[in-house]
Amino acid sequence: MFIRDVVQIDRPFEAVAPRFLRDPAWLEPLLSSAAGDGMARCQRGTARRRADSLVVPIRWALESTAASWSLEGDLAIAPISVSRSAVTFEATYTLRDEGIRSGLGTEQAVAGSVRVFLSCLGRALHMDDGW
């Protein structure tokens, strides 16, 4: 299934985008808190530049055996204005156990986790003065 969500950040693109080019380990605590149960691992692919945005491939895998899904997609960082940016997460999720059926409950759990992740990400980027 496909999932998409976006968060706006009160920082310019030039301040936000470089953060995503560093070691992705800083994302793991945000992913773990969003998943709610267990540790999350983040694998980042090679970032690529579009006309006015940065696209970062990301794979979000949960170590918990209770979690039955993983996400793979792109974080796109783009300017909204001179002083604001948007981070959009577009991904597909896959179920670990083929016997599990995707349904409204699973979709809501994944969407909720993505929303929490982006909210935490927005707060972290807004409050981070150590650029």
Side-chain angles (χ1 to χ4, degrees):
M1 292 294 278
F2 180 78
I3 190 141
R4 181 181 192 276
D5 205 345
V6 63
V7 65
Q8 294 184 11
I9 298 156
D10 290 326
R11 286 198 177 266
F13 173 79
E14 294 78 14
V16 173
R19 184 78 161 131
F20 292 90
L21 298 175
R22 299 180 190 147
D23 181 355
W26 70 278
L27 294 171
E28 290 178 353
L30 303 176
L31 293 169
S32 293
S33 62
D37 57 354
M39 293 292 295
R41 292 288 170 230
C42 175
Q43 296 174 332
R44 186 192 71 209
T46 303
R48 58 193 185 279
R49 183 112 171 128
R50 287 189 189 155
D52 65 345
S53 64
L54 179 69
V55 178
V56 181
I58 188 172
R59 184 172 183 347
W60 171 1
L62 304 172
E63 290 185 350
S64 168
T65 56
S68 58
W69 48 268
S70 63
L71 289 165
E72 190 165 348
D74 292 323
L75 281 170
I77 303 91
I80 297 175
S81 68
V82 173
S83 62
R84 297 189 81 204
S85 302
V87 177
T88 304
F89 184 53
E90 294 181 338
T92 55
Y93 70 86
T94 54
L95 300 174
R96 280 191 199 168
D97 182 352
E98 293 182 20
I100 297 172
R101 296 183 143 222
S102 180
L104 185 57
T106 303
E107 290 176 32
Q108 289 174 334
V110 174
S113 292
V114 169
R115 172 84 316 237
V116 170
F117 165 64
L118 286 178
S119 295
C120 292
L121 180 67
R123 283 192 300 277
L125 290 169
H126 180 74
M127 296 172 59
D128 188 356
D129 290 325
W131 300 96

